[in-house]
Amino acid sequence: MANLDLPKMFDEFVDARKNGFLAAKEFKENGGKLAGCLCSYTPQEVLDAGGIAVVSLCGTSNETIPDAETVLPKNLCPLIKGTYGFALTEKCPYTYFSDIIIGETTCDGKKKMYELLNEIKETYVMQLPQGQGRPYAKDIWYEEVKLLKEKLEDKFGIEITDENLREAVRKRNVLRKALCDMYELQETCPPAMYGTEMMMALQKGGFTFNIDKQIEQVQGIVDRAKKAYEAGEGAVPKSAKRILLTGCPSGGVIQKVGMVIENNGGVIVCLDDCGGERTRSMMIDENADDILRAISDRYLAINCSVMTPNDGRLENTKRMIEKYKVDGVIDVVLQACHTFNVESYKTRQMVEEMGIPYLKLETDYSTTDSGQIETRIAAFIEIL
């Protein structure tokens, strides 16, 4: 990984975060409407259609977790504690400038945290079904999406029309296609870019709440990577072992896990978490007769460990292993994330039945286990 310009990448990331804060302030001062979102299940097209900018509020660092633990239990998922801590300490301008936060009843920890978050900033919680297979599950979620639409119309004094929803779907589909083009750069051997570059680009996109700018940024990354690859200037050596990263959202472990993989002879060729190709590849038919139903159906179909059963995730992981010619699978489970932790048993079974080595890492956002994590990853890649 010596050829990867990490300082430049981090500078760009820090600049994007800082500029995003300033942009949020300016956006609000100019009368803009801003919603903070916390999960892939949030139907972003409904917000887009109301002229409400969307920004991700998920906490992905250890910075405010000690503050969060003055209210929340210590043995809670770091993503939940990080999210609440940034709101509690007012260290996240995005939370501060948000007019409303949209939550969802995924895990028990998040849905109870939302009750406390609502005391800091108005938090609207969508009620997810427990699974996708019941005949009435789609109707339940459709009603939830419709209630969200009505909530936003009432709060902001707006009308969200079918025409606006279709235009929002069209734009989000373009963004998803651009992201999928970026993921698919990793199909080549060697891949066109390091996986940490993708992970940083996804984080950076979270600080850009203008969709057109997000599309432009991602398309720029794809174009530059393709040109460099075709010119023989790719940074990834052919010897790099191809790793699929799965499990919990990986935004908070880019340095701790992602960069360690790529500093020890590996390259992440597939992000198989809820922000990766598994979810981004799910498009919406902008010509559907009932556009709101098409939106709600798409979001309910997302495969997350909170759903029972969740066989779709395993089927997708299997396809990704084959598509990206994976040498090894690393499953990242955030501490106290019980659904992904339990599901890791089935993931290991499926991966090893395919003859692919598997490593499970249970961790948090602190640096206390960084040495142990690096030792385990280095040993894992060495055996591939």
Side-chain angles (χ1 to χ4, degrees), residues 46-70:
V46 178
L47 293 152
D48 296 340
I52 304 162
V54 178
V55 65
S56 174
L57 298 183
C58 282
T60 55
S61 86
N62 205 50
E63 183 182 345
T64 63
I65 285 180
D67 298 289
E69 288 177 346
T70 63

Side-chain angles (χ1 to χ4, degrees), residues 112-175:
K112 297 306 291 184
M113 181 271 283
Y114 291 148
E115 296 176 13
L116 303 176
L117 187 60
N118 187 57
E119 296 174 3
I120 301 170
K121 177 74 65 170
E122 181 180 5
T123 303
Y124 181 84
V125 180
M126 302 181 73
Q127 305 282 337
L128 265 174
Q130 296 287 299
Q132 301 150 324
R134 294 281 194 265
Y136 51 78
K138 286 184 177 182
D139 291 335
I140 291 174
W141 190 237
Y142 175 71
E143 291 299 324
E144 284 295 315
V145 173
K146 191 160 70 170
L147 285 171
L148 173 65
K149 172 179 171 288
E150 292 168 359
K151 167 68 179 179
L152 297 173
E153 288 176 326
D154 181 62
K155 178 176 176 60
F156 293 105
I158 57 176
E159 181 184 3
I160 298 174
T161 67
D162 278 7
E163 182 182 351
N164 290 338
L165 286 168
R166 289 183 198 280
E167 175 60 17
V169 165
R170 187 195 68 77
K171 275 198 180 183
R172 285 282 169 187
N173 279 347
V174 172
L175 176 58

Side-chain angles (χ1 to χ4, degrees), residues 162 166 169 284-295:
D162 278 7
R166 289 183 198 280
V169 165
I284 302 172
D285 180 5
E286 61 199 72
N287 298 312
D289 291 338
D290 186 340
I291 191 64
L292 194 66
R293 172 75 72 168
I295 291 168

Side-chain angles (χ1 to χ4, degrees), residues 128-273:
L128 265 174
Q130 296 287 299
Q132 301 150 324
R134 294 281 194 265
Y136 51 78
K138 286 184 177 182
D139 291 335
I140 291 174
W141 190 237
Y142 175 71
E143 291 299 324
E144 284 295 315
V145 173
K146 191 160 70 170
L147 285 171
L148 173 65
K149 172 179 171 288
E150 292 168 359
K151 167 68 179 179
L152 297 173
E153 288 176 326
D154 181 62
K155 178 176 176 60
F156 293 105
I158 57 176
E159 181 184 3
I160 298 174
T161 67
D162 278 7
E163 182 182 351
N164 290 338
L165 286 168
R166 289 183 198 280
E167 175 60 17
V169 165
R170 187 195 68 77
K171 275 198 180 183
R172 285 282 169 187
N173 279 347
V174 172
L175 176 58
R176 291 182 188 113
K177 177 63 169 61
L179 288 165
C180 287
D181 287 344
M182 182 174 68
Y183 299 135
E184 289 172 0
L185 290 171
Q186 304 305 84
E187 280 192 81
T188 56
C189 187
M193 63 194 298
Y194 276 100
T196 46
E197 291 182 86
M198 289 197 304
M199 295 165 82
M200 295 298 288
L202 291 169
Q203 286 276 75
K204 186 177 174 181
F207 305 136
T208 308
F209 44 78
N210 181 296
I211 303 173
D212 292 322
K213 285 185 180 178
Q214 286 186 53
I215 293 168
E216 184 182 331
Q217 286 172 359
V218 176
Q219 288 175 338
I221 291 169
V222 173
D223 290 343
R224 289 192 297 273
K226 281 183 176 178
K227 285 177 184 175
Y229 192 81
E230 289 164 3
E233 298 170 358
V236 185
K238 286 185 178 179
S239 60
K241 299 302 179 183
R242 304 171 67 85
I243 303 297
L244 178 145
L245 196 63
T246 190
C248 293
S250 56
V253 294
I254 296 175
Q255 287 177 272
K256 189 175 183 177
V257 175
M259 290 183 179
V260 169
I261 290 169
E262 299 191 333
N263 275 327
N264 284 277
V267 57
I268 298 165
V269 293
C270 182
L271 287 175
D272 185 39
D273 61 12

